[in-house]
Amino acid sequence: MSSSSPRVPLPSGFPEGASLPAVVIELGERFAAAGRELSLVGGPVRDLFIGRDSGDLDFTTDADPDAIEAIGAGWADAVWDVGRRFGTIGFQKDGWQLEVTTYRAEQYDPTSRKPQVAFGDSLDDDLVRRDFTVNAMALRLPAMELVDPHGGVRDLAAGLLHTPGTPEDSFSDDPLRMMRAARFAAQLGLQVADEVEAAMTDMAERIDIISAERVREELVKLICGADPRRGLDLLVRTGLAERILPELPALQLETDERHRHKDVYAHSLTVMEQAIAQEERYSPHSPDVVLRLAALLHDIGKPATRRFEKGGAVSFRHHEVVGAKLVRKRLRALKFDNETIKAVTRLVELHMRFYGYGDAGWTDSAVRRYVHDAGPVLDRLHALTRSDVTTRNRRKANRLAHAYDDLERRIAEISEAEELAAVRPDLDGEQIMGLLGIRPGPLVGRAYRHLLEWRLDEGPHDQDVAEAELRRWWAEQPESRKD
């Protein structure tokens, strides 16, 4: 998308200051000259009315894919046709991505994950097949005439999410639309209409036919929305979460012994909201899906580890270890990439580490291990740990905040002196093999790990001191006494 390309203001009837990239009008003029219809459709039209900058420019037309491609030839900077069998041809022009799709009359096999595509011949037929009324609006080009047969502008003004036809028909066409409803609730702050929520509840099991990849993409968009709590609550209420992220609704049954005023589900949503507020300070980018997922799922090990103690107390010992395993399994099932899985799992595993040191203070060794174990997610761990304080006891909250302030100061001081982010043993593998006279293999790894633990405990050493420690360790190993 190019922010510097020329824009064309919209006529009266649209919000003041609303405009479109000039390439949109140019493309409309080309289609009109060829005797074809073209309309901007869906999200880009919706976003004109809410002052939101849309990154996608989607169009619909009565032209078939061959005709679409011919009209754009010689005008577009680039053309791609990977969506041809679905009726879509893509253009790039002046830095903008434009996708043009033949009018659709989609039909879905109720037992299939993939749509059976049928091309339509009218804009009205195309719009009635769309997911929600707020996305079933079009702007005829180049005249810039609004087409809104299902009251999308009205629903936007009322903050409601309706479907053009019955929600049952819409969700039968594509069950992923149920998750999309939750996503729009999170992104746009829309209230799902009662009949839409009822259909989501009745048809929740239909989400099972949708591929894990499509579910994951909608979940990520929801979590990265402005108000993910609203969307997640909707998934839980309708039973959709039970089918795609069952660990989340399971938290409603638990009581957190450190936050007696909230169940773990409410606590987890609050931690996520507080983590979002920490993104500007600690995250490499915002929205940060890794941090948000970790905050949402950090306590999912509690149901499996709940124990009732004498005196009525409830404990969740090692819930972070169990939770990390559950997170890894769930994110793999949702086909997340390995880097995201590793980062979220590590954060869940370490989110209680700060509390393990109590009020006794942090030794240099403990600080080094904290930094080393967190590795590249250290800043996110800061954000998660701070966000995990939801107590109403202000004295306790302030004490924990000051304690973490102190830990961060210690990390900064020791990092400056010892380059903690890149901590390594004082001897490398080549030096270990040379000093001990051994060949590459597991024994070198054991020696290396010993020197690393020693380095974390005591800090950096001169080479001669490190060599003396290696010899001392070696003398205790059974391999050193072999003939």
Side-chain angles (χ1 to χ4, degrees), residues 10-118:
L10 289 171
S12 61
F14 288 88
E16 185 177 353
S19 64
L20 287 171
V23 293
V24 170
I25 309 303
E26 292 175 19
L27 187 60
E29 291 170 344
R30 291 186 69 86
F31 272 76
R36 296 292 190 175
E37 298 177 0
L38 184 74
S39 297
L40 186 70
V41 71
V45 181
R46 175 201 68 216
D47 290 346
L48 290 172
F49 286 92
I50 60 176
R52 189 168 178 258
D53 192 17
S54 180
D56 300 320
L57 291 175
D58 297 323
F59 303 82
T60 189
T61 179
D62 62 342
D64 64 25
D66 290 340
I68 296 171
E69 188 170 10
I71 292 170
W75 174 79
D77 300 326
V79 179
W80 64 94
D81 65 353
V82 292
R84 179 183 292 274
R85 71 188 183 97
F86 296 108
T88 301
I89 300 295
F91 301 121
Q92 183 174 10
K93 178 68 174 178
D94 295 343
W96 291 93
Q97 308 278 337
L98 309 99
E99 291 196 347
V100 185
T101 302
T102 306
Y103 291 149
R104 301 282 284 274
E106 286 181 352
Q107 308 233 342
Y108 283 72
D109 181 338
T111 64
S112 173
R113 291 182 175 182
K114 296 183 179 179
Q116 298 173 336
V117 178

Side-chain angles (χ1 to χ4, degrees), residues 214-230:
R214 294 184 72 204
V215 168
R216 178 200 66 222
E217 289 305 308
E218 282 300 323
L219 183 61
V220 167
K221 290 175 183 177
L222 187 162
I223 288 174
C224 290
D227 186 6
R229 184 176 194 142
R230 178 191 291 263

Side-chain angles (χ1 to χ4, degrees), residues 292-345:
R292 294 184 184 202
L293 279 171
L296 178 66
L297 303 175
H298 73 286
D299 275 346
I300 65 171
K302 284 191 169 180
T305 58
R306 182 176 62 167
R307 298 291 182 270
F308 295 98
E309 309 290 351
K310 292 181 179 180
V314 180
S315 67
F316 302 96
R317 291 189 180 90
H318 307 302
H319 72 272
E320 69 277 17
V321 177
V322 173
K325 294 177 180 178
L326 292 173
V327 163
R328 184 183 296 111
K329 182 178 179 181
R330 178 56 52 196
L331 296 188
R332 282 177 176 170
L334 288 169
K335 307 297 184 183
F336 276 89
D337 62 277
N338 290 335
E339 184 177 348
T340 297
I341 294 172
K342 182 178 179 180
V344 176
T345 300

